[in-house]
Amino acid sequence: KNGLMNWYIQVGIQLPNNSMRHILKKYAETIVILFKYTYCIHWGDFFSFLFGAVTSIKTINSIHLYLLILETMDEEIVDRSIYREEPEIRLNRSIKNKMRNECAKDISTSFLEILRMKHPEMTNFGLKVLKTYIEWTDINYYITADYGNIFMEMTNDMELRAATCEVLSEICLKGMDSLSKLNMLKDLKFVELISSLRFDSSMDIVFARSVADLCNSVAMQLLETGRNTRESHPNESITAFQMLQSLQPLLMRILDDFEISVSNQVIDYFMDYCKYLGTDKELHQQSEKILLDISHLLRKRATFEQWYKFDPLLQTDREASFDIYRSNLFKCFSTISRINPGMVKSWLEPQILQAVNEPQQSHFTTIEVLLELHLAAISALPAQSTDPKDPYFSRIFIQLIESKIVIQFPHPTVLYIFLKIISTSFSLCSQFKNLIPQLLQYFSSNLGIRCQTAYVQQKASYVFTKFMQSHYSDCFQYVDMIYDSIKELLQFHFDNYRQVEEYDRSFKNTVYLFEVIALVLSVREVNDQKRLQILQQITNPMIYSIQNILNDTSVLALDTEDQPRVQKFVEHHILALSELTVALQHSNNGQTLCKQVFDFLDQVVLPKFQNSIHVRQGIKTYMKRLVQVISSHNVMQFIPNTIEKLVQFSHSPRMLREALDLLKPLIGKVSKHEQLRQQLSSFINTCCLPTFMERIPQILKDPEYAQSGPQQEELFREHMLLHNDWLKFILSMLSSKLHFNIENNVTFDIIAHTLFDAFCSHQRHFVPPALQSLIQLYSLFPQRTEHHLQQFGPHIFILHPLIHWDFGDAKTMFSFMELIKLFEVRQRITQITLLDSLKPIIASHFGNQPPIPLLQAFDTSLPFNQYTKPGTTKFYQRKAMQALTFLKRIQKSMPR
């Protein structure tokens, strides 16, 4: 300690040396760390020495080092942005409390002396450090007359005024009660001080930004104080609002400043101020004029400037900042729209209509900002904007569509905002159906999905799809027009030199068109012959395109593991065809088309790409989509053959999971049809189950998959997912009354083991369905149940996962009651009680120690009691009593 302090004095006497600055910072960090762990116990005179040294030496080096120590102290002890453990938090809290009690006032005095030096560098540094201490020390030390005078002086100093404004803003934001805050603002004459400041953002943007921030802070505090004291201290509230009113012209001037970083400082205030005007009934009449003035400024400042670069490739941080700034302006206008919608409509409508009706007198930036303001009003008033009876929104929407304003102003920004307005006004199209043809023409034109600007094209694609999802039943009469307008876009072109990522982007920009035409064709009123004709015209070229690629061996040879171009090309075709399946839901003659596609996938595509993840994924998607829309009989006619091939070609966990995943929707589809259910059961037992029984258990037992670790993380994940999907498949089979063709104990054991493993797992959501399915399996095959129960049945009651069961859950409780019932049935048949089975297992596993998991699970009968209370149905009461009685018998037999 002495050595560090002596070094402080030696360095302080020396002349300033810029090369020593980094050493001084390291010194400050070292002494603060020592201070942190010794101040409260051994170094109570730290500040006495420090104040004495800086007072006696008074050199630039000494002051600089002193401020460095205070700055580092704040970083190490106070700064909340740094994560700290609880012991360190307690230590820091005790240090701050000790400093508040012993030296905070002296620190504030030292700051005042440094400020009086008027040394540009040291005073600015002092102001920077001072700002951090205001936050956690007594504010009264910094709002004295001496501080007020020095602050007033420094706001007139060109080199000190910006930092001074930042300190004043921090003082203004200091937490205190409303009356104290108002008195402080009056005593320090904040309003007079701010009003006297002269700033020009073109000359000194840093100072202008500081003044704007200070003005915003003072205005926010006055507004909050005026609102909080309105009922309890009306005179003080009036004073606060009078002070705020005197600042209003300056605030409006700042909002109108051409420099966006300056103007942006006061937007938060104006949003709060507008909200206040909406709640103050006494100010209602004059508030409308204020809101109009603010709206005019918002429109002016949100208009694109000449310097703005619209090309995304040429944009810089300045454009990004302006975009954020505009977003804040429109949020402010949304607030105004919610407060006074009538005023907004009457102000905005004539401006939009004038720009629409007299386009030659307007610039695209004018119409763009008006549309943005209109969209802000829509977002603020969603209920009114979708009400066809609202004269404003419906009138503006009709005018925008019928005037073809985007043809007059085809700038991308106008096209983009126009699309956003359409997307929020879909409900109006149902009332004004005469607009639909114009919208459809717009979507498919070079102003929509054919636009050369990427972000407009993507937005048009999205809006077109959403519009069709909402209004496809109103568009079926235009099916020929829609198809003719997009048919040449329903194509994918193969290019040897394109990267896979480019294929994916191109596919995303095209696939929505397949959904659009499919939605229109799915309407029941569409002529079935026309529907199939259009689908055939789309499908045939796609099949032909894939066939050409497959016949070209030179192209197939280009595929690599990193760039599987051909595989992605084929996958995209199949995924596009899957989008068309929705068109078949009301078709009576779609079997021919389905058979054509399935034959092609079965006989051509799948044998060629049997190990391709991408192609298999595309086929899986197509089949799952088709299952949803075609009849159960057609499902069983087309899909099983393809599934059989997928199962045969499945060797890895992922491929087996795909095959299992395909069977689940099929099971659900036929579950209500006895004949089809038997047909599917026969198919699964004959064509799928043998492969599953051979390959899945082998993979699940493979130590390469079962081990976890950094090297096997992906393998372990595949192992876990396969186990889960295999379990879900078994559960769906049993719950859908599909019969397993179990010919021997080995097959039975594989299925029973899977269920038993899930029952014993830590994944609690698997326990009830696994137990129910296990009981169901035992019930379906009673002749094989005894074999399994003798081996594994009693283990159910002693395995540790049992303690994780939620016996407050009725589903779990009833599952357990069913299990007990099963053992009682077994006892009647075999005369072997569960207790007789349990005793040797308990003895071998636990000796004389009680089976802790069982005791923890069953020592309380509270869960069962909730089902034996009066008011519960007799069925549940009887089951609960049986289970409770059975458990008590088990407990009595347990060693204690």
Side-chain angles (χ1 to χ4, degrees):
K1 292 188 293 186
N2 294 333
L4 287 171
M5 284 304 190
N6 290 334
W7 194 85
Y8 179 99
I9 296 173
Q10 294 172 10
V11 171
I13 297 174
Q14 295 177 8
L15 295 174
N17 186 350
N18 290 330
S19 64
M20 290 185 63
R21 290 295 170 87
H22 68 286
I23 299 177
L24 296 182
K25 180 62 179 175
K26 288 297 180 183
Y27 168 80
E29 291 172 357
T30 304
I31 201 168
V32 166
I33 291 295
L34 182 61
F35 161 84
K36 180 174 181 175
Y37 293 101
T38 60
Y39 174 60
C40 293
I41 304 173
H42 305 297
W43 208 356
D45 60 346
F46 174 83
F47 283 102
S48 299
F49 180 89
L50 192 62
F51 293 143
V54 74
T55 303
S56 60
I57 301 174
K58 287 187 177 180
T59 63
I60 298 302
N61 261 10
S62 173
I63 294 170
H64 180 70
L65 190 52
Y66 171 72
L67 291 174
L68 273 176
I69 292 172
L70 292 182
E71 180 186 47
T72 308
M73 202 172 288
D74 178 80
E75 294 169 354
E76 185 63 35
I77 298 171
V78 181
D79 192 349
R80 293 190 180 94
S81 65
I82 301 173
Y83 173 76
R84 308 178 196 277
E85 298 289 346
E86 186 59 33
E88 186 180 5
I89 293 174
R90 289 196 296 269
L91 174 61
N92 291 347
R93 189 182 299 123
S94 62
I95 293 173
K96 287 191 291 184
N97 290 335
K98 185 175 176 65
M99 289 177 64
R100 288 189 186 104
N101 295 330
E102 297 180 1
C103 61
K105 186 175 182 180
D106 294 330
I107 291 175
S108 72
T109 303
S110 67
F111 278 131
L112 185 61
E113 293 301 318
I114 293 171
L115 299 184
R116 283 173 172 162
M117 289 174 56
K118 300 289 182 65
H119 183 281
E121 183 182 4
M122 288 303 105
T123 304
N124 272 311
F125 190 20
L127 288 168
K128 175 186 173 184
V129 179
L130 165 62
K131 188 169 70 169
T132 63
Y133 277 75
I134 289 172
E135 180 186 356
W136 61 277
T137 57
D138 191 346
I139 190 63
N140 291 308
Y141 299 149
Y142 302 98
I143 58 174
T144 62
D146 289 338
Y147 263 106
N149 292 332
I150 195 68
F151 286 146
M152 184 69 76
E153 292 176 17
M154 289 192 298
T155 54
N156 296 317
D157 189 313
M158 294 279 290
E159 294 180 311
L160 304 176
R161 59 187 185 178
T164 303
C165 287
E166 292 177 8
V167 171
L168 289 172
S169 181
E170 190 68 33
I171 292 174
C172 181
L173 295 174
K174 178 74 173 182
M176 61 182 75
D177 65 86
S178 298
L179 291 179
S180 299
K181 178 66 65 71
L182 181 61
N183 290 330
M184 181 194 74
L185 294 175
K186 289 193 295 185
D187 293 343
L188 289 182
K189 300 179 180 179
F190 266 85
V191 174
E192 293 83 350
L193 172 64
I194 296 172
S195 300
S196 67
L197 297 176
R198 298 291 177 264
F199 64 93
D200 184 347
S201 54
S202 64
M203 301 294 293
D204 188 347
I205 188 174
V206 175
F207 177 55
R209 194 183 297 126
S210 300
V211 173
D213 180 54
L214 174 58
C215 192
N216 181 69
S217 299
V218 173
M220 294 277 279
Q221 296 303 311
L222 288 172
L223 179 60
E224 183 179 358
T225 300
R227 283 188 300 201
N228 293 344
T229 60
R230 187 165 186 173
E231 300 294 334
S232 57
H233 299 84
N235 292 334
E236 284 75 8
S237 178
I238 293 172
T239 301
F241 282 118
Q242 287 174 345
M243 294 170 67
L244 180 60
Q245 194 62 32
S246 64
L247 276 180
Q248 201 67 20
L250 178 58
L251 289 161
M252 296 289 281
R253 178 196 159 195
I254 293 174
L255 180 62
D256 193 28
D257 197 277
F258 77 94
E259 182 58 52
I260 59 176
S261 62
V262 175
S263 177
N264 197 43
Q265 296 291 330
V266 296
I267 293 179
D268 287 342
Y269 159 73
F270 277 105
M271 291 182 68
D272 282 0
Y273 182 59
C274 290
K275 291 176 185 176
Y276 166 72
L277 291 177
T279 59
D280 193 328
K281 297 180 180 179
E282 297 178 6
L283 292 175
H284 181 71
Q285 291 183 347
Q286 68 185 74
S287 69
E288 187 164 313
K289 183 181 182 308
I290 298 172
L291 293 175
L292 274 174
D293 291 341
I294 297 172
S295 298
H296 280 294
L297 279 181
L298 293 176
R299 175 190 166 175
K300 177 184 175 183
R301 295 302 305 127
T303 303
F304 282 114
E305 302 285 352
Q306 291 182 351
W307 54 263
Y308 189 89
K309 301 181 183 68
F310 292 97
D311 187 347
L313 298 177
L314 301 177
Q315 289 185 348
T316 62
D317 291 343
R318 191 180 186 190
E319 279 75 20
S321 300
F322 185 67
D323 290 339
I324 296 171
Y325 170 64
R326 289 186 90 222
S327 176
N328 292 333
L329 293 173
F330 295 133
K331 287 178 183 177
C332 187
F333 188 76
S334 291
T335 302
I336 296 175
S337 301
R338 279 190 292 271
I339 292 166
N340 197 332
M343 182 275 294
V344 167
K345 294 174 185 178
S346 60
W347 173 75
L348 196 54
E349 183 175 15
Q351 299 181 74
I352 294 177
L353 294 180
Q354 181 182 2
V356 167
N357 296 326
E358 302 175 4
Q360 65 278 6
Q361 298 182 13
S362 302
H363 192 259
F364 80 87
T365 56
T366 301
I367 189 64
E368 190 276 340
V369 76
L370 289 173
L371 293 180
E372 284 280 12
L373 293 172
H374 177 66
L375 182 65
I378 291 175
S379 64
L381 306 167
Q384 296 182 37
S385 65
T386 56
D387 184 0
K389 297 179 181 179
D390 187 283
Y392 168 74
F393 288 105
S394 58
R395 192 159 54 237
I396 293 295
F397 182 70
I398 294 171
Q399 283 287 331
L400 290 176
I401 302 297
E402 293 185 341
S403 67
K404 300 182 179 179
I405 189 68
V406 289
I407 298 177
Q408 301 291 334
F409 300 99
H411 193 276
T413 56
V414 177
L415 300 179
Y416 189 78
I417 188 61
F418 182 68
L419 286 165
K420 291 176 72 175
I421 290 174
I422 292 175
S423 68
T424 59
S425 308
F426 284 163
S427 59
L428 295 177
C429 295
S430 300
Q431 302 296 322
F432 306 104
K433 295 184 180 181
N434 59 307
L435 301 177
I436 290 178
Q438 298 179 58
L439 283 173
L440 293 176
Q441 290 175 357
Y442 167 69
F443 285 137
S444 58
S445 70
N446 58 358
L447 303 175
I449 60 176
R450 287 180 169 84
C451 182
Q452 297 301 309
T453 305
Y455 69 89
V456 175
Q457 184 188 91
Q458 292 169 4
K459 188 66 176 179
S461 305
Y462 172 79
V463 176
F464 192 11
T465 306
K466 290 297 180 183
F467 174 80
M468 199 57 66
Q469 290 171 354
S470 304
H471 296 282
Y472 64 91
S473 59
D474 298 324
C475 298
F476 75 92
Q477 55 189 313
Y478 309 110
V479 61
D480 289 325
M481 183 183 78
I482 295 172
Y483 177 61
D484 290 340
S485 67
I486 65 173
K487 62 182 178 182
E488 80 277 8
L489 299 177
L490 300 174
Q491 299 175 18
F492 301 106
H493 300 286
F494 184 78
D495 187 344
N496 296 347
Y497 302 101
R498 293 175 72 182
Q499 299 293 310
V500 166
E501 293 76 14
E502 295 180 60
Y503 275 119
D504 287 336
R505 283 196 298 270
S506 176
F507 172 70
K508 290 177 182 177
N509 291 335
T510 307
V511 70
Y512 71 92
L513 293 175
F514 290 87
E515 181 181 359
V516 166
I517 192 63
L519 286 169
V520 181
L521 293 174
S522 68
V523 179
R524 191 185 298 273
E525 288 78 7
V526 174
N527 180 273
D528 200 27
Q529 184 178 355
K530 178 180 289 187
R531 177 189 293 120
L532 294 175
Q533 179 185 355
I534 293 176
L535 289 175
Q536 202 75 56
Q537 290 175 4
I538 299 172
T539 303
N540 286 344
M542 299 186 72
I543 292 177
Y544 181 74
S545 177
I546 297 176
Q547 188 70 66
N548 283 343
I549 290 291
L550 298 183
N551 292 337
D552 191 340
T553 55
S554 62
V555 172
L556 291 174
L558 294 174
D559 257 18
T560 63
E561 186 174 349
D562 294 334
Q563 293 293 325
R565 296 180 180 88
V566 176
Q567 296 176 45
K568 294 296 288 186
F569 182 75
V570 174
E571 179 196 13
H572 291 162
H573 276 70
I574 300 172
L575 290 176
L577 289 173
S578 72
E579 294 290 342
L580 296 176
T581 56
V582 70
L584 298 173
Q585 58 184 338
H586 296 306
S587 176
N588 299 320
N589 302 296
Q591 299 90 332
T592 304
L593 183 64
C594 291
K595 187 176 187 308
Q596 177 189 3
V597 175
F598 271 110
D599 286 346
F600 180 69
L601 295 178
D602 260 351
Q603 300 168 17
V604 179
V605 176
L606 195 52
K608 198 77 172 180
F609 297 104
Q610 56 181 282
N611 296 318
S612 170
I613 294 173
H614 307 291
V615 175
R616 289 174 64 102
Q617 182 65 32
I619 295 174
K620 172 185 165 185
T621 302
Y622 179 82
M623 294 173 67
K624 292 182 76 171
R625 292 278 186 90
L626 197 64
V627 168
Q628 296 172 3
V629 297
I630 64 175
S631 68
S632 303
H633 292 278
N634 286 336
V635 163
M636 292 306 299
Q637 181 180 355
F638 301 120
I639 292 183
N641 291 335
T642 307
I643 292 181
E644 182 180 0
K645 280 192 171 62
L646 282 170
V647 172
Q648 291 173 0
F649 295 145
S650 298
H651 297 279
S652 68
R654 178 167 182 167
M655 292 178 176
L656 287 165
R657 284 174 49 224
E658 286 177 352
L660 290 168
D661 192 40
L662 270 176
L663 286 169
K664 283 188 290 184
L666 212 60
I667 293 171
K669 188 77 174 182
V670 304
S671 60
K672 296 181 180 179
H673 304 275
E674 178 63 29
Q675 183 179 356
L676 296 177
R677 196 165 60 239
Q678 292 178 3
Q679 185 180 345
L680 181 60
S681 292
S682 175
F683 166 73
I684 291 176
N685 282 289
T686 305
C687 303
C688 302
L689 202 57
T691 303
F692 291 153
M693 291 294 184
E694 176 190 353
R695 296 175 186 173
I696 294 179
Q698 184 178 356
I699 291 175
L700 295 180
K701 293 177 182 179
D702 190 339
E704 183 182 12
Y705 288 99
Q707 296 176 4
S708 61
Q711 302 296 328
Q712 295 86 14
E713 184 176 349
E714 185 61 31
L715 292 176
F716 177 72
R717 180 175 173 274
E718 288 292 334
H719 174 278
M720 181 187 68
L721 291 174
L722 177 60
H723 183 271
N724 290 352
D725 287 348
W726 175 228
L727 171 64
K728 289 176 183 177
F729 168 73
I730 294 173
L731 297 180
S732 63
M733 285 280 289
L734 292 170
S735 62
S736 302
K737 300 180 181 179
L738 294 173
H739 301 298
F740 283 108
N741 185 15
I742 297 179
E743 300 177 352
N744 51 58
N745 285 339
V746 175
T747 305
F748 181 89
D749 283 349
I750 289 174
I751 298 174
H753 283 188
T754 303
L755 295 171
F756 189 73
D757 289 344
F759 166 77
C760 298
S761 72
H762 289 281
Q763 300 183 58
R764 290 175 53 185
H765 62 284
F766 274 151
V767 171
L771 181 53
Q772 286 180 334
S773 297
L774 195 61
I775 293 168
Q776 192 171 1
L777 183 69
Y778 288 166
S779 303
L780 290 173
F781 302 97
Q783 72 279 12
R784 303 189 188 280
T785 300
E786 185 59 30
H787 164 75
H788 192 259
L789 284 177
Q790 287 177 357
Q791 286 186 292
F792 299 99
H795 287 268
I796 292 173
F797 293 93
I798 60 174
L799 286 172
H800 67 87
L802 203 60
I803 64 174
H804 298 291
W805 280 25
D806 180 11
F807 281 96
D809 174 50
K811 191 173 182 180
T812 304
M813 181 62 67
F814 295 144
S815 298
F816 192 78
M817 292 175 185
E818 288 292 328
L819 183 66
I820 291 175
K821 180 181 176 182
L822 180 70
F823 277 98
E824 290 184 330
V825 171
R826 176 205 182 209
Q827 178 180 338
R828 287 198 299 270
I829 296 173
T830 63
Q831 305 302 315
I832 301 174
T833 68
L834 174 64
L835 298 179
D836 292 337
S837 301
L838 279 174
K839 286 177 182 177
I841 296 175
I842 292 172
S844 62
H845 281 268
F846 300 101
N848 294 324
Q849 299 297 321
I852 301 300
L854 182 62
L855 296 179
Q856 288 178 331
F858 301 137
D859 266 352
T860 173
S861 60
L862 180 62
F864 288 90
N865 286 338
Q866 66 177 317
Y867 300 104
T868 60
K869 292 179 180 178
T872 310
T873 63
K874 292 182 179 180
F875 171 76
Y876 290 156
Q877 285 184 0
R878 186 173 66 254
K879 279 203 166 192
M881 289 303 299
Q882 290 173 352
L884 187 57
T885 303
F886 188 78
L887 289 176
K888 287 181 177 178
R889 292 196 344 244
I890 294 176
Q891 285 181 305
K892 288 180 181 178
S893 69
M894 294 292 173
R896 291 284 178 176

